[in-house]
Amino acid sequence: MVRTAIVDAVIDTAALLAEVANVASGATLLFVGTVRDVNDGRGVTGMEYSAYRGMAERELADIAQDASTRFGTFDIAVEHRIGTLELGEASVAIALSHPHRGPAYDASRYIIEQLKQRVPIWKLEHYVDGTREWVGAGQGARIPEAVALRAPVDR
Amino acid sequence: MTVTVLLFASYADALGSRSMRLELGSGATVGDVVSHVRALPGADRLPSEPLVAVNERYAKRDRVLASGDEVAIIPPVAGG
């Protein structure tokens, strides 16, 4: 079972874990990404996530499917939340199970790294001093290596 | 032909718009759309080669567009 979603509500991590529970799996992992109170030395009070929703859903589904193929058959459930989040709230959760811990850790890491490179989601950070800034907006943009190598780039 | 251009996050803020329709000659490419958009007021913070998706898939600059295509100019992504 592989399920991915972009969601507007609080992520229920216990439900995700239950979803991937499988008697054939000896390892079950949960990664939770949360809103941190400091970024680049600036105090953060909250975060606004937005997405190119249709594409984000498809990219996320492709990544999870790809992980399932690369690391062996197992159960994966991934949710990324968008909207306004407070400090400590979960923006992303990756639950998965696998017969063995090695591939489980590898797959979890693979999914979060790919997500960060490919999925069209942006965050507007709110700072203690009242200002707001798009994270990463100053970076140069090019097709990420992961995309160039693996994602189906239409010609 | 007409294509829809979508802008997000910092790019939408810079241009003061989230979407626009562009009239292009046949054979126009992703690169033509980028040139068009970069000539608009406020577009100076767009890189010369931004990430672009056509119909929700990453596309290269030489990709030839069809009428009705949805061309999204994608700022550096920051999920997670």
Side-chain angles (χ1 to χ4, degrees), chain A residues 49 51-52 54-55 58-59 62 80 91-92 115-123 134-137 139-144 147 152-155, chain B residues 6 8-11 13 18 45 47 49-60 62-64 70-80:
Chain A
Y49 285 84
Y52 180 13
M55 183 173 174
R58 205 187 40 70
E59 286 288 326
D62 285 355
H80 198 301
S91 54
V92 60
L115 183 158
K116 281 177 166 289
Q117 289 190 61
R118 277 169 61 175
V119 180
I121 292 176
W122 302 278
K123 48 192 175 195
W134 290 104
V135 174
Q139 293 166 7
R142 59 187 179 85
I143 294 189
V147 175
V153 174
D154 276 5
R155 298 290 317 189
Chain B
L6 301 182
F8 300 92
S10 56
Y11 295 175
D13 284 359
R18 308 192 69 76
R45 58 182 299 186
E49 298 203 5
L51 269 180
V52 174
V54 176
N55 301 330
E56 303 188 348
R57 287 189 184 272
Y58 287 110
K60 296 186 174 170
D62 57 1
R63 161 76 177 266
V64 175
E70 183 174 278
V71 183
I73 304 186
I74 313 268
V77 302

Side-chain angles (χ1 to χ4, degrees), chain B residues 11 13-17 20 36-46:
Chain B
Y11 295 175
D13 284 359
L15 285 145
S17 173
M20 59 184 78
H36 240 93
V37 173
R38 289 190 78 234
L40 296 172
D44 38 313
R45 58 182 299 186
L46 263 69

Side-chain angles (χ1 to χ4, degrees), chain A residues 76-146:
Chain A
I76 305 175
V78 184
E79 290 188 353
H80 198 301
R81 183 177 168 192
I82 57 175
T84 303
L85 275 70
E86 291 175 21
L87 293 182
E89 284 196 297
S91 54
V92 60
I94 300 166
L96 57 84
S97 65
H98 191 281
H100 306 290
R101 68 187 178 282
Y105 275 110
D106 291 345
S108 180
R109 183 68 189 260
Y110 177 81
I111 291 169
I112 189 63
E113 299 302 337
Q114 286 283 313
L115 183 158
K116 281 177 166 289
Q117 289 190 61
R118 277 169 61 175
V119 180
I121 292 176
W122 302 278
K123 48 192 175 195
L124 184 65
E125 254 174 1
H126 298 199
Y127 300 105
V128 174
D129 63 8
T131 59
R132 299 173 175 201
E133 225 167 83
W134 290 104
V135 174
Q139 293 166 7
R142 59 187 179 85
I143 294 189
E145 223 167 284

